[in-house]
Amino acid sequence: MAVISWSEMMSVGVPVLDDDHKTLVGFINLLQHSIGDPEEYVAVYSVLGALEDYCLHHFLREEKMMEAGRCPQLDQHHRTHEGFAETVRALKARYEEDQSSVRARDCLTFLNDWLVNHICTTDMNYRAWLVGHAGAKAVGETMSLADQRLDSGPTDWRRLRILVVDDNPNFCGILTAILNGVGVSSITVSHDLAAGKMALIGQPLDLLISDWHVGTESGLDLVKWLRQCPPPLCGLPVLMLSGHERMINRDLALLAGADEFMEKPVAARSLLICLSRLAAKVR
Ligand code: FEO
């Protein structure tokens, strides 16, 4: 199955909804790239989790805008959204029961057919009601996935400068897509500790996300090194991720100097809530 290229043919004529659709298509493409990856199971669950979070947010935004634009297809459109969300939830539940039962290839056909067809057919039906509708635009632009139910208040995602240190390009792509989806544009990716240290020394940063295992190196060593650096670098907030260790090792990560610890696969909303807490430390 080919990677999906965004084209103007897919535009619904409403920029904020086009941006959502581009993010969703980006997640499907990440799934495509993850086929055969040694950590494919991590990518599948992370993409499904991110898709679920973003779809629920996007569907709500779209429906609120349709309501504001008095679009007559709202009820029918809402039922279609519910059907999709239910299928994604079922895929996630199947994965949670047995990781090997849900593969990237299995998900792709459903996601590709449903999402792309939905955008190109069903979503096009609201164009006449929403394009140029100032009230609907205002409703859509005030809604943000990242600020819903977060416990540390609104986060100015657009100003955050984040370094990701992880040797798995697919997982870096998933993290980047999640962060881009809430507006983070300054994301540096390093695939080994030497490159990570260069990035830390060479540019101003607000947050570090490091994997526990970076190739044959340890992310713990990177955090220990960071904490020995002169201020203000030594105070950089750090989230450590791990796809192998159990939660019992959270203590080891925190002891090394990390501020937060999460196990892969990470859900988009949980990741954003965690990063929002860390971002509050640098405000
Ligand atoms: Fe853009 Fe109806 O989902």
Side-chain angles (χ1 to χ4, degrees):
M1 192 175 291
V3 166
I4 306 164
S5 297
W6 177 268
S7 75
E8 278 308 305
M9 296 279 289
M10 297 171 77
S11 171
V12 293
V14 182
V16 72
L17 296 178
D18 280 343
D19 286 346
D20 282 352
H21 290 152
K22 287 174 192 171
T23 299
L24 296 173
V25 166
F27 282 125
I28 295 177
N29 286 336
L30 284 167
L31 209 49
Q32 171 79 34
H33 291 308
S34 76
I35 293 175
D37 186 301
E39 291 190 324
E40 180 180 315
Y41 74 97
V42 172
V44 169
Y45 194 74
S46 296
V47 170
L48 286 177
L51 263 176
E52 183 182 30
D53 286 350
Y54 273 93
C55 278
L56 291 178
H57 166 66
H58 167 66
F59 292 163
L60 184 62
R61 187 194 324 250
E62 202 169 74
E63 290 169 20
K64 290 283 183 195
M65 292 179 73
M66 290 174 77
E67 189 179 12
R70 298 180 182 276
C71 182
Q73 297 107 6
L74 175 57
D75 289 343
Q76 191 184 349
H77 203 123
H78 173 68
R79 285 194 291 277
T80 311
H81 286 164
E82 280 190 326
F84 176 80
E86 186 52 44
T87 306
V88 172
R89 273 195 292 273
L91 281 170
K92 278 185 66 194
R94 237 175 72 197
Y95 177 98
E96 282 158 9
E97 267 184 30
D98 175 9
Q99 288 183 356
S100 64
S101 69
V102 181
R103 308 296 295 181
R105 204 179 293 278
D106 303 331
C107 303
L108 270 170
T109 306
F110 159 71
L111 292 173
N112 203 341
D113 285 354
W114 194 96
L115 207 53
V116 176
N117 285 340
H118 179 80
I119 293 169
C120 293
T121 56
T122 311
D123 282 356
M124 291 297 168
N125 292 331
Y126 57 61
R127 279 185 66 112
W129 281 268
L130 296 195
V131 173
H133 192 294
K137 179 172 182 280
V139 167
E141 289 183 351
T142 55
M143 297 175 68
S144 162
L145 165 70
D147 292 336
Q148 287 173 9
R149 298 196 296 275
L150 294 184
D151 57 8
S152 53
T155 300
D156 186 1
W157 295 97
R158 290 180 192 281
R159 73 162 182 79
L160 285 181
R161 298 156 298 186
I162 299 180
L163 172 64
V164 176
V165 181
D166 192 314
D167 62 317
N168 185 317
N170 284 325
F171 193 73
C172 291
I174 292 167
L175 281 181
T176 300
I178 291 171
L179 295 169
N180 284 158
V182 291
V184 181
S185 58
S186 178
I187 304 165
T188 304
V189 175
S190 300
H191 295 305
D192 58 54
L193 260 53
K197 288 176 183 176
M198 290 280 285
L200 285 162
I201 293 169
Q203 64 195 85
L205 292 162
D206 299 304
L207 295 173
L208 166 64
I209 303 173
S210 176
D211 195 14
W212 186 293
H213 289 293
V214 186
T216 56
E217 301 175 294
S218 168
L220 292 180
D221 290 339
L222 180 66
V223 181
K224 288 176 190 166
W225 171 87
L226 176 71
R227 296 306 183 219
Q228 298 299 315
C229 288
L233 187 55
C234 62
L236 190 72
V238 177
L239 165 62
M240 174 141 292
L241 303 176
S242 173
H244 304 282
E245 276 68 25
R246 306 306 303 170
M247 293 302 280
I248 194 166
N249 282 342
R250 162 187 296 272
D251 291 347
L252 286 178
L254 301 184
L255 201 62
D259 299 275
E260 300 269 0
F261 173 87
M262 292 183 77
E263 271 193 291
K264 292 179 180 176
V266 293
R269 181 178 293 280
S270 305
L271 175 75
L272 293 171
I273 288 171
C274 180
L275 292 178
S276 186
R277 272 199 304 272
L278 290 180
K281 295 187 175 186
V282 294
R283 276 180 205 153

